[in-house]
Amino acid sequence: MKPLALVTALLVFCSCKSRSQAEVAGVWVAQAEGIESLPQGKAVALERGRLPADASDKVLGEGPDVLLAIGRDVRWAKIRDLRKGLIESGRTPYLVVANGRKKGAFKLHDELQGEAIKVFVSVGGKLCVAPPNSPEAKCVQRGDRSHVDRAFTRELVREAVKGYGLHDVTVDVPADLEWADVVRAVDGARTCCFEDKVRVHLK
């Protein structure tokens, strides 16, 4: 490849990559296909090493709605505890993600309507899918063992939805899983099945 062509190819690659990401409050947020509308307001940045002490921290403001722009490598336990504290204080936390460059809120808990397919996630990107009341599971993991793969998640959950005739899913993640992997697991399950709506509840 000629030098000029190589430079052009690199520029095209960088341009495409930038279009698939979104920055909110100085944080590159996680990507999800299933997003909901956000209320008006300024988002608060949550970054690893720079997190509020608890739900009463002044950095979170005082309004009823709290928009949280979460760094992709923040551990789930930190987000879980902060979210719980905000809810207990009567405030509504919105977890900000993006679909490409479009920003939105990410929902963790759909209301389930029956027996649920089980999804288990491990640190290192291993994800297993099992039917209700069964110890047997089918698992998948990326070759680099780095993160949850959204496409693999969709494929396994879609197979389970068709095989068991169920449209409810629970997702179980470890406390130290990175936020972006939590989003990939929940979003992958929720968007698995095209027109068939799948309800997902993060345990």
Side-chain angles (χ1 to χ4, degrees):
M1 181 181 288
K2 295 181 179 180
L4 180 59
L6 177 60
V7 171
T8 302
L10 289 173
L11 288 173
V12 170
F13 172 78
C14 293
S15 175
C16 292
K17 184 177 180 182
S18 67
R19 285 197 297 270
S20 67
Q21 299 184 30
E23 187 178 11
V24 181
V27 176
W28 294 105
V29 296
Q31 290 284 320
E33 287 192 10
I35 63 175
E36 300 185 348
S37 60
L38 281 168
Q40 294 295 320
K42 183 178 179 180
V44 178
L46 300 186
E47 296 180 277
R48 199 169 178 177
R50 189 165 68 94
L51 294 166
D54 53 41
S56 64
D57 197 308
K58 292 182 179 179
V59 72
L60 296 169
E62 298 179 351
D65 297 330
V66 187
L67 279 62
L68 302 175
I70 305 163
R72 291 177 285 195
D73 63 346
V74 176
R75 302 301 179 184
W76 163 239
K78 299 291 185 181
I79 303 162
R80 177 197 62 200
D81 294 346
L82 181 60
R83 179 179 179 274
K84 180 180 177 182
L86 287 167
I87 292 172
E88 289 176 348
S89 68
R91 307 177 72 187
T92 303
Y94 290 86
L95 310 177
V96 183
V97 297
N99 185 351
R101 303 288 291 180
K102 182 180 179 181
K103 297 181 286 291
F106 190 67
K107 188 176 182 182
L108 296 176
H109 305 108
D110 294 328
E111 184 176 347
L112 304 185
Q113 298 180 10
E115 283 193 310
I117 295 162
K118 299 177 292 185
V119 173
F120 303 95
V121 184
S122 303
V123 174
K126 184 177 180 180
L127 183 140
C128 299
V129 177
N133 307 314
S134 173
E136 296 184 2
K138 186 172 183 179
C139 300
V140 68
Q141 187 173 30
R142 277 172 40 163
D144 59 10
R145 300 186 178 184
S146 58
H147 295 290
V148 171
D149 189 288
R150 198 188 326 261
F152 289 164
T153 301
R154 287 194 184 106
E155 184 177 343
L156 278 191
V157 175
R158 185 186 308 124
E159 182 180 300
V161 167
K162 290 181 178 179
Y164 307 126
L166 301 173
H167 289 76
D168 291 303
V169 177
T170 60
V171 177
D172 198 350
V173 303
D176 56 347
L177 192 69
E178 292 185 358
W179 169 238
D181 281 331
V182 175
V183 173
R184 291 185 188 104
V186 173
D187 189 57
R190 185 177 283 140
T191 61
C192 72
C193 301
F194 309 107
E195 294 84 5
D196 288 340
K197 181 179 179 181
V198 173
R199 296 170 291 273
V200 180
H201 185 91
L202 181 66
K203 295 183 68 175

